[in-house]
Short mmCIF file of all heavy atoms in Angstrom, two decimals:
data_model
loop_
_atom_site.label_atom_id
_atom_site.label_comp_id
_atom_site.label_asym_id
_atom_site.label_seq_id
_atom_site.Cartn_x
_atom_site.Cartn_y
_atom_site.Cartn_z
N ALA A 277 -238.49 -112.04 -76.37
CA ALA A 277 -238.93 -110.97 -77.29
C ALA A 277 -240.44 -111.07 -77.54
O ALA A 277 -241.14 -110.05 -77.55
CB ALA A 277 -238.15 -111.07 -78.61
N GLN A 278 -240.93 -112.29 -77.70
CA GLN A 278 -242.35 -112.47 -77.95
C GLN A 278 -243.17 -112.05 -76.72
O GLN A 278 -244.21 -111.40 -76.85
CB GLN A 278 -242.64 -113.94 -78.33
CG GLN A 278 -244.10 -114.26 -78.61
CD GLN A 278 -244.67 -113.49 -79.81
OE1 GLN A 278 -243.94 -112.83 -80.54
NE2 GLN A 278 -245.99 -113.54 -79.96
N ALA A 279 -242.67 -112.42 -75.53
CA ALA A 279 -243.37 -112.03 -74.30
C ALA A 279 -243.43 -110.51 -74.20
O ALA A 279 -244.46 -109.93 -73.83
CB ALA A 279 -242.65 -112.62 -73.08
N GLN A 280 -242.33 -109.86 -74.56
CA GLN A 280 -242.30 -108.40 -74.50
C GLN A 280 -243.29 -107.79 -75.50
O GLN A 280 -243.98 -106.81 -75.19
CB GLN A 280 -240.87 -107.90 -74.77
CG GLN A 280 -240.62 -106.49 -74.29
CD GLN A 280 -240.99 -106.26 -72.81
OE1 GLN A 280 -240.47 -106.93 -71.92
NE2 GLN A 280 -241.93 -105.34 -72.55
N ARG A 281 -243.40 -108.39 -76.67
CA ARG A 281 -244.37 -107.90 -77.68
C ARG A 281 -245.79 -108.03 -77.13
O ARG A 281 -246.63 -107.16 -77.34
CB ARG A 281 -244.26 -108.72 -78.97
CG ARG A 281 -243.07 -108.37 -79.83
CD ARG A 281 -243.12 -109.13 -81.14
NE ARG A 281 -244.18 -108.65 -82.01
CZ ARG A 281 -244.96 -109.42 -82.76
NH1 ARG A 281 -244.81 -110.74 -82.75
NH2 ARG A 281 -245.88 -108.90 -83.53
N ILE A 282 -246.07 -109.14 -76.44
CA ILE A 282 -247.41 -109.35 -75.88
C ILE A 282 -247.70 -108.28 -74.81
O ILE A 282 -248.77 -107.67 -74.80
CB ILE A 282 -247.53 -110.77 -75.28
CG1 ILE A 282 -247.52 -111.80 -76.41
CG2 ILE A 282 -248.78 -110.92 -74.41
CD1 ILE A 282 -247.45 -113.25 -75.97
N LEU A 283 -246.70 -108.03 -73.96
CA LEU A 283 -246.90 -107.02 -72.91
C LEU A 283 -247.14 -105.65 -73.54
O LEU A 283 -248.02 -104.88 -73.11
CB LEU A 283 -245.70 -106.99 -71.96
CG LEU A 283 -245.52 -108.25 -71.10
CD1 LEU A 283 -244.27 -108.15 -70.23
CD2 LEU A 283 -246.74 -108.50 -70.23
N ASP A 284 -246.36 -105.32 -74.58
CA ASP A 284 -246.53 -104.02 -75.25
C ASP A 284 -247.92 -103.92 -75.88
O ASP A 284 -248.60 -102.89 -75.75
CB ASP A 284 -245.46 -103.84 -76.34
CG ASP A 284 -244.07 -103.73 -75.73
OD1 ASP A 284 -243.98 -103.53 -74.50
OD2 ASP A 284 -243.07 -103.88 -76.47
N ALA A 285 -248.33 -105.00 -76.56
CA ALA A 285 -249.63 -104.97 -77.23
C ALA A 285 -250.77 -104.84 -76.21
O ALA A 285 -251.75 -104.13 -76.44
CB ALA A 285 -249.82 -106.24 -78.06
N MET A 286 -250.62 -105.51 -75.08
CA MET A 286 -251.67 -105.45 -74.07
C MET A 286 -251.72 -104.08 -73.39
O MET A 286 -252.79 -103.60 -73.02
CB MET A 286 -251.48 -106.55 -73.02
CG MET A 286 -251.88 -107.93 -73.48
SD MET A 286 -253.56 -108.05 -74.13
CE MET A 286 -254.55 -107.61 -72.70
N GLU A 287 -250.54 -103.47 -73.27
CA GLU A 287 -250.51 -102.13 -72.65
C GLU A 287 -251.28 -101.16 -73.53
O GLU A 287 -252.08 -100.34 -73.06
CB GLU A 287 -249.04 -101.71 -72.51
CG GLU A 287 -248.82 -100.70 -71.39
CD GLU A 287 -247.35 -100.30 -71.33
OE1 GLU A 287 -246.51 -101.18 -71.06
OE2 GLU A 287 -247.06 -99.10 -71.58
N GLU A 288 -251.04 -101.30 -74.83
CA GLU A 288 -251.75 -100.43 -75.78
C GLU A 288 -253.25 -100.71 -75.74
O GLU A 288 -254.07 -99.79 -75.72
CB GLU A 288 -251.20 -100.68 -77.19
CG GLU A 288 -251.61 -99.62 -78.17
CD GLU A 288 -251.04 -99.91 -79.56
OE1 GLU A 288 -249.89 -100.40 -79.64
OE2 GLU A 288 -251.76 -99.67 -80.55
N ALA A 289 -253.60 -102.02 -75.66
CA ALA A 289 -255.02 -102.39 -75.62
C ALA A 289 -255.69 -101.79 -74.39
O ALA A 289 -256.81 -101.29 -74.46
CB ALA A 289 -255.15 -103.92 -75.59
N GLN A 290 -254.96 -101.84 -73.27
CA GLN A 290 -255.56 -101.32 -72.04
C GLN A 290 -255.75 -99.81 -72.11
O GLN A 290 -256.74 -99.29 -71.60
CB GLN A 290 -254.70 -101.73 -70.83
CG GLN A 290 -254.96 -103.18 -70.46
CD GLN A 290 -254.13 -103.67 -69.30
OE1 GLN A 290 -253.02 -103.20 -69.08
NE2 GLN A 290 -254.65 -104.62 -68.56
N ARG A 291 -254.79 -99.13 -72.77
CA ARG A 291 -254.95 -97.67 -72.96
C ARG A 291 -256.21 -97.37 -73.74
O ARG A 291 -256.89 -96.38 -73.53
CB ARG A 291 -253.73 -97.10 -73.69
CG ARG A 291 -252.65 -96.59 -72.75
CD ARG A 291 -251.73 -95.61 -73.44
NE ARG A 291 -251.15 -96.14 -74.67
CZ ARG A 291 -250.02 -96.86 -74.71
NH1 ARG A 291 -249.37 -97.11 -73.60
NH2 ARG A 291 -249.57 -97.32 -75.86
N VAL A 297 -257.34 -108.51 -77.41
CA VAL A 297 -257.04 -108.02 -78.76
C VAL A 297 -256.36 -109.14 -79.54
O VAL A 297 -256.16 -110.24 -79.02
CB VAL A 297 -256.09 -106.78 -78.73
CG1 VAL A 297 -256.82 -105.54 -78.28
CG2 VAL A 297 -254.87 -107.05 -77.86
N LEU A 299 -252.96 -110.37 -81.84
CA LEU A 299 -251.56 -110.12 -82.19
C LEU A 299 -251.15 -111.25 -83.14
O LEU A 299 -251.26 -112.42 -82.77
CB LEU A 299 -250.69 -110.12 -80.92
CG LEU A 299 -249.20 -109.87 -81.11
CD1 LEU A 299 -248.91 -108.45 -81.59
CD2 LEU A 299 -248.43 -110.14 -79.81
N ILE A 304 -254.96 -112.51 -77.72
CA ILE A 304 -254.25 -112.35 -76.45
C ILE A 304 -255.17 -111.60 -75.51
O ILE A 304 -255.96 -110.76 -75.92
CB ILE A 304 -252.87 -111.63 -76.59
CG1 ILE A 304 -253.01 -110.26 -77.28
CG2 ILE A 304 -251.87 -112.50 -77.32
CD1 ILE A 304 -251.71 -109.47 -77.20
N ILE A 309 -250.99 -111.69 -70.43
CA ILE A 309 -250.09 -110.80 -69.69
C ILE A 309 -249.41 -111.60 -68.58
O ILE A 309 -248.20 -111.52 -68.38
CB ILE A 309 -250.84 -109.62 -69.02
CG1 ILE A 309 -251.51 -108.76 -70.07
CG2 ILE A 309 -249.90 -108.79 -68.16
CD1 ILE A 309 -252.08 -107.46 -69.50
N ALA A 312 -246.83 -113.92 -70.00
CA ALA A 312 -245.66 -113.18 -70.49
C ALA A 312 -244.85 -112.63 -69.31
O ALA A 312 -243.62 -112.64 -69.32
CB ALA A 312 -246.09 -112.06 -71.42
#
Side-chain angles (χ1 to χ4, degrees):
Q278 180 62 9
Q280 199 53 58
R281 284 185 70 219
I282 290 172
L283 293 178
D284 294 346
M286 284 307 297
E287 205 181 297
E288 194 180 323
Q290 282 179 330
R291 267 201 306 273
V297 286
L299 180 67
I304 55 170
I309 298 189

